[in-house]
Amino acid sequence: MRAVDLIIKKRDGAELAREEIDFLVKGFTSNEIPDYQFSSLLMAIVLRGMTPAETAQLTRAMIESGEVIDLQGVPGPLVDKHSTGGVGDKVSLVLAPLAAACGLRVPMMSGRSLGHTGGTLDKLESIPGYRTDLSPARFREALEKIGFAMIGQSESVVPADRRMYALRDVTGTVESVPLITASIMSKKFAEGAQALLMDVKSGSGAFMKDRREATALARSLVATGAGLGRRVAAMITDMDQPLGRAVGNFIEVRECVDILQGAGPADEVQLIVQEASRMLWLGGLAASPSAGEAPARAALRDGSAWKIFLRNVEFQGGDTAVLLDPRKGPRAPLSKVLTATSDGFVSRVDAHATGIASVILGAGRSRKEDRVFPGVGITLTRSQGDEVKSGDELCRLYAETQAALEEAARLMTEAYAIGAERVPAAPRLLEEITTA
C-alpha cells in the first residue's frame, strides 16, 4: 500500500478498508507517513466524511497505537462518562464518586481547559496536593479500593491521537464528526472502560453550538461504540447558560462539596442524578435509563458519595482539610461585584461570554503554556429566570490582577440580559440517544 493512493481513494469519496486504516495510523504514528501526507488525508476526511465502520476502525487503530490500561479482574461494571466541554461544567467531580457509591467502578481520564471551557484536571489540581498522574498500578488500586480514579492522558496512551490532534489544530481539520468521535472514543476505551456515557453539550458555551451538529456527533459516538462492541449512550444537554453558579476551578470544587453534602444548584443536581442513572443502566445496575435516579439521589442524601470523594482526594494526594473547612483553600486577592442597573428578570447569562471572562481572570488558558490560577473565577448570584431589582448583585468576580478584573467585568456586564418578562430556565437534558 501507498499513502498517496489511499489519500486519493478517500478524496474521491470511497470507503477505506480496515487494513488500509491500520496502515495509515501505524505509518503516521511511526513517522513513516509524513505530516504533509497525513494532513491531506485529514482534509479528505473532513470533506468526504467516514462511514460508521470506518470511524470505528479508525478508533480501534488509534487505541492500538499505544498502551491500553489493563483493568481485567477489577470488580464491578467499569463505566465512564465524558463531556464535550462547557462553562461551569463540574459534573464529573460529583458524578464519579456518586456512581461509585451506587456500585460502579469509574476509570476517568480527563482533560485540561480548552478554549473557553473549563478542564476537570485543572479543577481537581486546585485542591492542594491532588495528583492526576497516577501510575497504572495506582490507578487500578484506586478503582479497587475506592471505586473511581481521575487521571490525565499519559504519553504512552493513544499517541496517535496526540499527534493527530496537534496536526488537526494547525490544518483546519478540527471540525469533523468522525475525527472528533475517534479522538474521544480512543482515549476513553484505552483507559479500560467497558461502557461510556457521553454528555454532548449544545449552545453558545459549547463547541457544538448548533443542535443538529450536536445530534450528529452524539449519533456517531453511539454508533462507533456499537462498532467496537461497547455500550455507549449519549445525552445532548443545554449549554446556552453556564451550569450551576460557580465558574472557575476551586470555586467549582467548593460548589461540588455543597452538592455532595446535599445542597447545590437545582439544575446541576438534576443533571448529575440523570447522568448517574444512565451510567447505572449502562453498567447493568438499573433496569432503564431513568430507573437509577432514586438510588443516585439516596447516595447524595446519605453522604456515601461525599465520603467516597474524600477518600479519593486523600488517595490521590489532596488536602481534605480545604474541603472540610470553607475558610480554607485557594483564594484570589481581588474581587468585584456587578449589580443590576434596572428592575426585571434575568433573561440570559451568555455561557460563551462567561467562559471567556473566566479565562481572562486566569481560570483557563488562551495558550497551552498559560498559567491557571486556582482561586479565580465567577460566582453567579443570579441566573436565568431570577427576578432582580436595580442594585441587586448579579455576580461576583475573583481575580489576581486589576486589569483582568476590569476586562472580565466588562464581558460579564454584556453577558447578562435583563427583560421585563420572566424567561424560565430551559431543561438541561434536551435529547437522549441510547441505541445506534
Side-chain angles (χ1 to χ4, degrees):
M1 281 182 278
R2 295 193 311 159
V4 64
D5 297 326
L6 301 182
I7 294 167
I8 292 169
K9 183 177 180 179
K10 177 46 64 180
R11 181 201 68 189
D12 293 342
E15 182 174 354
L16 296 174
R18 174 173 182 161
E19 60 271 15
E20 292 171 334
I21 292 173
D22 287 345
F23 167 79
L24 289 164
V25 173
K26 288 176 182 176
F28 177 59
T29 307
S30 64
N31 293 314
E32 293 176 19
I33 296 176
D35 284 0
Y36 64 82
Q37 282 192 309
F38 209 80
S39 296
S40 295
L41 175 69
L42 292 172
M43 186 59 73
I45 292 171
V46 169
L47 297 176
R48 289 295 193 171
M50 296 186 100
T51 66
E54 283 180 297
T55 304
Q57 183 52 38
L58 176 61
T59 305
R60 184 180 286 108
M62 289 168 65
I63 292 171
E64 294 171 353
S65 72
E67 176 185 341
V68 176
I69 298 175
D70 181 13
L71 298 179
Q72 190 76 23
V74 173
L78 292 158
V79 184
D80 192 11
K81 167 262 180 183
H82 179 78
S83 167
T84 56
V87 178
D89 182 8
K90 59 205 71 82
V91 166
S92 292
L93 276 68
V94 178
L95 183 61
L98 177 58
C102 294
L104 296 178
R105 294 292 189 272
V106 185
M108 191 168 283
M109 184 183 293
S110 300
R112 302 193 180 278
S113 65
L114 180 62
H116 65 279
T117 65
T120 297
L121 296 184
D122 297 315
K123 302 181 206 304
L124 288 167
E125 290 174 356
S126 73
I127 304 170
Y130 196 100
R131 297 190 59 176
T132 58
D133 57 344
L134 300 183
S135 68
R138 287 286 284 172
F139 183 60
R140 182 187 180 100
E141 184 182 356
L143 288 170
E144 291 177 336
K145 290 184 175 179
I146 300 166
F148 82 99
M150 313 280 269
I151 61 170
Q153 185 180 358
S154 72
E155 292 294 315
S156 59
V157 174
V158 201
D161 176 66
R162 192 163 44 254
R163 289 203 63 204
M164 285 172 62
Y165 195 88
L167 201 56
R168 288 166 59 205
D169 196 36
V170 296
T171 58
T173 54
V174 171
E175 291 82 2
S176 162
V177 166
L179 294 177
I180 293 171
T181 299
S183 177
I184 292 171
M185 300 290 271
S186 61
K187 290 192 289 287
K188 302 313 283 187
F189 287 126
E191 74 190 8
Q194 297 166 336
L196 175 66
L197 176 68
M198 282 300 311
D199 180 351
V200 180
K201 301 294 186 188
S202 175
S204 78
F207 288 110
M208 312 299 283
K209 295 181 173 22
D210 183 87
R211 174 77 174 272
R212 289 171 297 178
E213 293 176 351
T215 300
L217 175 58
R219 293 192 182 283
S220 175
L221 291 161
V222 173
T224 300
L228 294 169
R230 309 291 180 92
R231 293 194 73 186
V232 178
M235 300 169 66
I236 300 171
T237 64
D238 176 72
M239 191 34 73
D240 253 352
Q241 315 284 327
L243 184 59
R245 299 278 184 173
V247 180
N249 289 305
F250 192 72
I251 64 171
E252 289 196 32
V253 172
R254 182 64 65 197
E255 185 167 278
C256 291
V257 171
D258 290 341
I259 296 171
L260 286 163
Q261 292 181 338
D267 67 326
E268 197 164 23
V269 173
Q270 176 65 14
L271 180 60
I272 289 167
V273 167
Q274 289 172 331
E275 294 197 6
S277 179
R278 274 69 182 170
M279 288 178 70
L280 291 172
W281 171 69
L282 286 169
L285 301 184
S288 70
S290 60
E293 292 189 19
R297 286 194 182 278
L300 283 178
R301 281 195 308 269
D302 66 18
S304 55
W306 167 233
K307 291 175 184 176
I308 287 177
F309 182 70
L310 287 174
R311 288 177 60 202
N312 168 267
V313 171
E314 184 176 15
F315 183 90
Q316 297 198 214
D319 181 4
T320 56
V322 302
L323 305 178
L324 297 168
D325 187 344
R327 297 168 298 178
K328 296 183 178 181
R331 294 182 184 274
L334 303 174
S335 65
K336 184 180 182 71
V337 173
L338 295 187
T339 59
T341 56
S342 62
D343 297 351
F345 298 89
V346 177
S347 57
R348 191 176 190 210
V349 184
D350 184 72
H352 184 264
T354 304
I356 295 296
S358 73
V359 172
I360 289 170
L361 291 169
R365 299 173 178 83
S366 298
R367 300 169 302 173
K368 183 179 179 182
E369 61 271 19
D370 286 349
R371 180 183 175 188
V372 171
F373 295 95
V376 305
I378 305 164
T379 300
L380 304 172
T381 316
R382 300 289 195 278
S383 297
Q384 185 181 32
D386 290 345
E387 183 175 8
V388 294
K389 301 291 184 183
S390 180
D392 283 352
E393 181 176 316
L394 295 177
C395 66
R396 191 177 295 258
L397 290 75
Y398 305 92
E400 290 285 329
T401 68
Q402 192 65 36
L405 190 64
E406 296 303 325
E407 177 64 12
R410 183 188 64 78
L411 276 172
M412 288 307 299
T413 299
E414 296 173 358
Y416 269 91
I418 296 176
E421 302 293 330
R422 185 190 297 274
V423 178
R428 288 291 176 178
L429 178 55
L430 303 174
E431 185 181 349
E432 289 188 77
I433 299 168
T434 56
T435 57

